[in-house]
Amino acid sequence: MTDPTAIQPSELDQLPDRDPEETAEWQASLDAVTEAAGPHRAAYLMRRTLERAEGAGVGLPKLLETDYVNSIPTAAEPAVDGDEEMERRITAWNRWNAAAMVTRGSQYGVGGHIATFASAAWLYETGFNHFFRGKEGDGSGDQLYVQGHASPGIYARAFLDGRLSEEHLDHFRREAGGNGLPSYPHPRRLPWLWEFPTVSMGLGPISAIYQARFNRYLTSRGVKDVSASHVWAFLGDGEMDEPESTAALALASREGLDNLTFVINCNLQRLDGPVRANFKIVQELEAQFRGAGWNVVKSLWGSAWDELFALDTTGALVRRLRQVPDAQVQTYQTRDAAYIRQDFFGADPALVEMAKLLSDDKILECFHDSRGGHEPRKVYAAYRAALAHKGAPTVILAQTVKGYSLGPGFASKNANHQMKKLSVDEFKDMRELLELPISDAQFVDGVVPYGHPGADSPEVRYLQERRAALGGPAPARRTHPLAPLPAPADKAFTAFDKGSGSQSVATTMAFVRLVKDLVRDKQSGRRWVPIVPDEARTFGMESLFPSLGIYSPKGQTYEPVDRDQLMYYKEAKDGQILNEGITEAGSMADFIAAASSYATHGEAMIPFYIFYSMFGWQRTADQMWQLGDQLGRGFLVGATAGRTTLTGEGLQHADGHSPVIAATNPAAVSYDPAFAYEVAAVVKDGLRRMYGEAAPGEDQNVFYYLTVYNEPLPQPAKPAGVDEGIVKGLYRFNTAESAGLNVPANASRIQLLGSGTAIHWALKAQRLLAEEWGVAADVWSATSWTELRRDALESDAAALRGEEQVPYVRRALEGVDSPVLAVSDYMRQVPDQIAQWVEQDWSSLGADGFGLSETRDAARRHFGVDAESIVVAALAQLARKGQVQATAVKEARERYGL
């Protein structure tokens, strides 16, 4: 058994020591300091030595954790470039109106959050007055990811500068009337103000990282110089527990994104209680970010603590601050001076002596009020340090008190996240604390008034002048009128019209070939942004590597192993492909940044993100919703789609439900094309709608989702007159007669509706029905069950308004006097979306349940969707109508071994 007291081997033991005697002297010095002055002094000297080594460029590992003090001492703080007293008054008005807005809204039961902005007010106000660049200056301005629960404070500031009225504030969380304000940052609901939806916890941080990265991508590729844009992400310390919050930290440091700053509001509380009750979240986050290569700036204590640190000649105060867990710091916020003297200072004799020099008022000032995040000079210094640091992103850990300035009933209470209102008396106490000129007479019938110093007041003039100097209002979303992108030449789309003859081509390959042609377009080709999560070879995209290049800020610093091959792995500083490695979340964050570039930067980009269909909507549906909320445009491509087409991979790869999830997203325009020419038609229409001349009343702020398959099959020629049906979701591909099948003139007939790869099973079933059972079947391609449903829902809504509107699916099937059998490679719920609007007798087949590892044929037989299963289902449906003998069904089952 290993002796725990023995000196364990170190990796340093493996390195040659050219002067063992000198090494022994250094070690002996450390031992001597430890023995004479104690381990704390030894640790202090070691940290100082490591800091000196780091500053001198000596290649040593960085310290992951520093003392629980501010990174920037008071003496090193730069002077604030502005009127601090004026900014204090502005912040006071914002605090008041944010609390009033939520409290007044509480009478309607709509909820809201007061405590978060109260803790973060100075984090925002300092930025708005000194740092955040608007969109009316040069470039694109800065990008602000506002913490969702702080939205009332942003509305309060927009009210002060005249962008919102009292009516707006009175309709916080009540949008139906037309003048309402959404609960959180929602670009789709308030598109002139909000750029980025952030309240879905964890998505703000990862999106901010990839936005900063996409800014570099645009600049490197010469699309637009946005090097002056800075991305600011305001986050909660509890939010950092979400996996997405820290998933891409290494990317940001690896690529040196010094155009990015995280500001983490460390109020030490999450929704139910302390973030780290028995630990210290600030120290944990510092170690995490430093370990990932970020620059860390801690702003923990206000200037009231300067006196205490000056008295700390032994380091006892710093040691005690490291020891006290966060939940106890929260407790100090609610206790009197006597408790703090005993519990905090009483833990060390040196601190007992220090406390004798401090008045009760001084102790309460430090422990109740003085936090780095509540002092504009501290925040200003941290922001300046962040912008000055080059070569790496910066995180600012700003300690605050949740519910600060709202009174003892709110500050640091575990339940304050759920507390939605203040009483009149609490507002009056708040008024005195903030020194606001609001009289008792303004509280009419117990309703708290909004406060405003006047449109021509010094406060409002100062606020507007500061914003004008920084490039206009913020936050703000601008969609400058963009000329429609020129449509690519038809040649790229018509290349599939003649079919592939005897050659077998998967629709995945058809899509890749289409994109290869489109990126060569002289006018719009450079605007395509191919995104792939380390599966380019799976989808046959490696041919794009040498022609487009993979984006890397370093270019290619090595000789690729396949350099002598035609399709070698090429990285370039101006590369067009974003190959993100194995991260669907990161790839989606890329997509969102590119998809909304038309608004963020006034540059329309055309992203397409191709992925295993199983790993798209199932894993990142929340980000797809974020994409829709952010009004993003582009093409999501679920490759190797379907439950039975990906041979051998098994249930974790077999997608039978992504169209169901996609159907829940109002911004997703979903297609399941069967043939190469359908893929081309859908992409062409998507380019027209999102980037070209949209039809009147047609929403451009949508994104397209296409499922494509890896099963190579002969591609047929495009029938005449099917373009409308492809786009709308349904058209008749052929009839038994046009397919050249020999069926009796009075044969029973059935309509087979298939989507995606399933149409090939339907075509085989069509032949079997004719040749072996004398039944005529017509085959229809259902390119989009979801779009058919949405069209039908619109018709239903029109009927409620007294307007007559026939659903397209009903019009397409008009005159058909035979049953309908629908089949897809997805669960039956997918085709059943349209069942209620089909007037004919309806039945469906699908791949319900879990996937399995098998061959394609065996998997389809297992799920009962292969051609033979379709034949049996069709005969059964006709038998129920009395159109074939019931014995035919039993005979077919036996013949096909079902």
Side-chain angles (χ1 to χ4, degrees):
M1 183 174 179
T2 302
D3 180 0
T5 64
I7 297 176
Q8 299 300 312
S10 163
E11 67 272 10
L12 294 178
D13 295 337
Q14 303 175 58
L15 304 178
D17 189 346
R18 68 181 185 182
D19 193 340
E21 186 176 346
E22 181 184 37
T23 303
E25 289 175 356
W26 276 77
Q27 293 171 335
S29 298
L30 179 63
D31 293 341
V33 171
T34 303
E35 184 176 350
H40 297 301
R41 177 62 179 170
Y44 176 84
L45 291 175
M46 289 300 298
R47 287 199 298 273
R48 285 291 189 227
T49 302
L50 286 172
E51 288 171 359
R52 174 60 64 88
E54 182 180 337
V58 177
L60 287 173
K62 295 182 179 180
L63 287 169
L64 292 186
E65 187 180 316
T66 61
D67 286 319
Y68 204 66
V69 297
N70 294 347
S71 301
I72 305 170
T74 300
E77 292 170 3
V80 177
D81 179 23
D83 187 332
E84 293 184 59
E85 173 56 26
M86 187 68 74
E87 293 176 20
R88 185 197 65 79
R89 295 206 300 269
I90 292 171
T91 306
W93 287 114
N94 291 339
R95 288 182 183 277
W96 177 274
N97 287 324
M101 179 194 325
V102 177
T103 297
R104 287 171 67 143
S106 68
Q107 64 181 303
Y108 303 102
V110 295
H113 301 282
I114 301 178
T116 295
F117 177 73
S119 68
W122 276 113
L123 302 180
Y124 290 105
E125 194 60 41
T126 302
F128 285 132
N129 286 323
H130 301 282
F131 295 97
F132 304 156
R133 296 173 65 254
K135 292 184 174 295
E136 294 173 4
D138 295 334
S140 302
D142 289 351
Q143 287 83 55
L144 307 182
Y145 288 77
V146 174
Q147 191 178 1
H149 295 146
S151 62
I154 309 304
Y155 291 140
R157 196 173 202 277
F159 169 63
L160 206 62
D161 72 9
R163 292 197 290 165
L164 293 176
S165 66
E166 284 196 18
E167 184 182 7
H168 286 113
L169 301 193
D170 263 345
H171 284 81
F172 174 61
R173 292 195 169 200
R174 295 190 299 130
E175 301 178 73
N179 287 315
L181 300 178
S183 52
Y184 304 122
H186 284 306
R188 188 168 285 276
R189 289 294 181 221
L190 203 61
W192 60 267
L193 181 72
W194 298 118
E195 278 197 285
F196 309 107
T198 54
V199 79
S200 190
M201 297 287 97
L203 299 191
I206 193 171
S207 295
I209 289 173
Y210 280 89
Q211 181 65 57
R213 199 287 196 87
F214 187 73
N215 290 357
R216 290 281 174 85
Y217 171 88
L218 284 181
T219 302
S220 296
R221 289 194 52 217
V223 176
K224 182 178 182 180
D225 184 358
V226 295
S227 55
S229 290
H230 199 85
V231 177
W232 300 84
F234 290 84
L235 316 167
D237 47 0
E239 179 181 3
M240 300 311 294
D241 281 346
E242 288 284 4
E244 295 88 351
S245 294
T246 55
L249 297 186
L251 166 74
S253 60
R254 184 171 66 245
E255 300 202 1
L257 297 181
D258 50 23
N259 60 339
L260 169 68
T261 298
F262 276 14
V263 182
I264 302 182
N265 179 14
C266 297
N267 57 36
L268 313 185
Q269 286 184 249
R270 54 189 179 197
L271 306 190
D272 290 331
V275 178
R276 293 290 183 273
N278 296 296
F279 306 93
K280 301 190 80 63
I281 185 60
V282 169
Q283 301 299 88
E284 179 182 318
L285 289 174
E286 178 184 27
Q288 193 169 16
F289 277 87
R290 283 188 186 277
W294 286 53
N295 176 46
V296 178
V297 177
K298 293 196 291 190
S299 183
L300 308 181
W301 308 110
S303 55
W305 283 82
D306 290 347
E307 180 182 340
L308 277 67
F309 288 122
L311 294 171
D312 184 28
T313 58
T314 66
L317 176 63
V318 173
R319 289 196 299 272
R320 182 65 177 143
L321 289 174
R322 286 175 61 91
Q323 295 167 357
V324 177
D326 284 351
Q328 192 64 19
V329 173
Q330 185 178 339
T331 297
Y332 293 150
Q333 180 70 31
T334 64
R335 299 301 179 89
D336 59 19
Y339 178 89
I340 298 172
R341 283 182 187 276
Q342 178 181 352
D343 190 87
F344 181 84
F345 291 97
D348 188 294
L351 294 181
V352 172
E353 295 303 311
M354 179 189 293
K356 293 178 180 178
L357 304 175
L358 304 174
S359 67
D360 285 356
D361 286 344
K362 181 65 177 181
I363 288 175
L364 292 179
E365 180 187 13
C366 288
F367 283 85
H368 284 192
D369 299 317
S370 190
R371 300 289 188 275
H374 295 322
E375 293 195 12
R377 293 182 67 86
K378 305 291 184 187
V379 177
Y380 183 92
Y383 287 7
R384 279 280 174 233
L387 292 181
H389 188 83
K390 300 303 177 185
T394 293
V395 59
I396 295 171
L397 303 175
Q399 185 162 269
T400 67
V401 175
K402 193 166 186 177
Y404 181 75
S405 79
L406 299 178
F410 261 81
S412 286
K413 294 300 174 91
N414 281 338
N416 61 19
H417 190 80
Q418 280 71 36
M419 297 163 71
K420 312 300 182 186
K421 60 182 178 179
L422 277 70
S423 68
V424 170
D425 288 340
E426 287 173 323
F427 267 109
K428 290 180 178 179
D429 290 340
M430 184 181 176
R431 172 192 62 188
E432 302 306 316
L433 174 67
L434 299 177
E435 301 177 354
L436 290 173
I438 297 174
S439 67
D440 287 353
Q442 291 177 260
F443 289 82
V444 179
D445 296 328
V447 177
V448 57
Y450 295 121
H452 200 294
D456 197 39
S457 64
E459 292 91 338
V460 172
R461 288 202 304 272
Y462 179 88
L463 181 156
Q464 293 175 340
E465 288 167 2
R466 300 300 299 187
R467 287 310 316 158
L470 287 166
R477 182 177 183 272
R478 296 286 185 268
T479 50
H480 303 288
L482 296 174
L485 291 182
D490 267 350
K491 182 180 179 181
F493 303 106
T494 58
F496 304 96
D497 287 359
K498 294 181 179 179
S500 64
S502 60
Q503 182 184 4
S504 292
V505 177
T507 51
T508 298
M509 296 306 302
F511 177 81
V512 171
R513 176 185 164 184
L514 174 63
V515 169
K516 285 177 65 177
D517 290 340
L518 293 175
V519 296
R520 294 193 188 104
D521 185 84
K522 293 182 179 180
Q523 292 181 293
S524 62
R526 73 191 190 108
R527 297 191 176 275
W528 282 88
V529 183
I531 302 168
V532 61
D534 200 35
E535 291 279 7
R537 298 183 192 279
T538 301
F539 309 136
M541 291 176 59
E542 64 268 31
S543 60
L544 298 178
F545 289 168
S547 58
L548 301 184
I550 300 166
Y551 170 73
S552 170
K554 288 185 174 294
Q556 195 153 39
T557 62
Y558 59 92
E559 182 178 353
V561 67
D562 53 0
R563 183 63 181 86
D564 57 342
Q565 297 178 17
L566 181 63
M567 293 184 288
Y568 72 98
Y569 195 82
K570 177 186 175 183
E571 296 187 82
K573 291 182 179 180
D574 61 350
Q576 194 164 347
I577 301 169
L578 292 172
N579 190 323
E580 293 305 354
I582 304 174
T583 167
E584 281 80 17
S587 299
M588 267 307 302
D590 259 338
F591 188 90
I592 292 169
S596 52
S597 179
Y598 73 92
T600 308
H601 295 300
E603 293 287 344
M605 304 300 287
I606 313 171
F608 80 85
Y609 165 35
I610 188 167
F611 50 87
Y612 263 96
S613 66
M614 184 67 164
F615 303 153
W617 287 89
Q618 175 167 295
R619 290 191 179 183
T620 56
D622 198 10
Q623 286 178 288
M624 271 75 161
W625 199 269
Q626 179 191 10
L627 168 65
D629 202 3
Q630 199 165 314
L631 309 176
R633 306 171 184 174
F635 295 94
L636 295 176
V637 184
T640 59
R643 182 146 279 165
T644 69
T645 59
L646 188 59
T647 56
E649 290 284 3
L651 86 169
Q652 291 183 343
H653 288 66
D655 175 24
H657 54 277
S658 67
V660 178
I661 307 174
T664 66
N665 192 312
V669 183
S670 303
Y671 287 91
D672 185 25
F675 306 124
Y677 67 78
E678 292 179 351
V679 172
V682 170
V683 172
K684 181 179 180 180
D685 187 69
L687 289 172
R688 174 201 61 78
R689 178 173 176 177
M690 294 185 289
Y691 300 96
E693 297 283 358
E698 199 171 31
D699 186 4
Q700 283 190 281
N701 297 316
V702 295
F703 59 92
Y704 277 55
Y705 174 55
L706 284 76
T707 49
V708 292
Y709 298 83
N710 70 325
E711 184 175 12
L713 291 164
Q715 296 296 323
K718 180 180 180 181
V722 299
D723 289 283
E724 180 187 27
I726 293 173
V727 172
K728 288 189 174 295
L730 181 67
Y731 68 94
R732 181 153 40 196
F733 175 72
N734 70 11
T735 64
E737 291 77 10
S738 66
L741 298 173
N742 186 20
V743 291
N746 60 346
S748 298
R749 188 173 292 270
I750 193 167
Q751 309 298 312
L752 302 180
L753 277 58
S755 67
T757 196
I759 201 169
H760 296 281
W761 323 329
L763 288 169
K764 181 179 178 182
Q766 178 190 46
R767 180 173 55 79
L768 291 175
L769 283 167
E771 294 177 353
E772 300 185 13
W773 306 98
V775 171
D778 300 339
V779 175
W780 299 66
S781 180
T783 53
S784 179
W785 308 102
T786 302
E787 287 304 293
L788 290 173
R789 176 180 175 81
R790 288 177 178 170
D791 172 80
L793 290 173
E794 289 179 10
S795 296
D796 287 356
L800 289 175
R801 299 190 300 267
E803 303 169 9
E804 186 174 346
Q805 186 172 311
V806 180
Y808 175 80
V809 64
R810 193 168 292 169
R811 286 186 279 123
L813 293 170
E814 187 176 6
V816 171
D817 186 22
S818 55
V820 172
L821 173 60
V823 60
S824 84
D825 202 17
Y826 297 93
M827 55 198 303
R828 287 177 61 178
Q829 185 176 342
V830 174
D832 284 349
Q833 290 181 86
I834 67 169
Q836 73 183 84
W837 293 281
V838 175
E839 295 177 314
Q840 293 79 6
D841 181 68
W842 171 271
S843 185
S844 63
L845 295 174
D848 285 74
F850 288 109
L852 75 165
S853 299
E854 256 300 350
T855 64
R856 292 186 180 113
D857 289 342
R860 287 160 188 167
R861 176 56 58 92
H862 170 81
F863 287 109
V865 292
D866 60 350
E868 291 79 5
S869 298
I870 294 173
V871 170
V872 173
L875 293 174
Q877 194 171 359
L878 290 169
R880 289 194 298 271
K881 303 286 288 183
Q883 297 180 9
V884 299
Q885 296 294 322
T887 56
V889 181
K890 182 174 183 293
E891 183 182 347
R893 286 198 198 100
E894 294 173 350
R895 181 181 301 182
Y896 301 134
L898 296 179

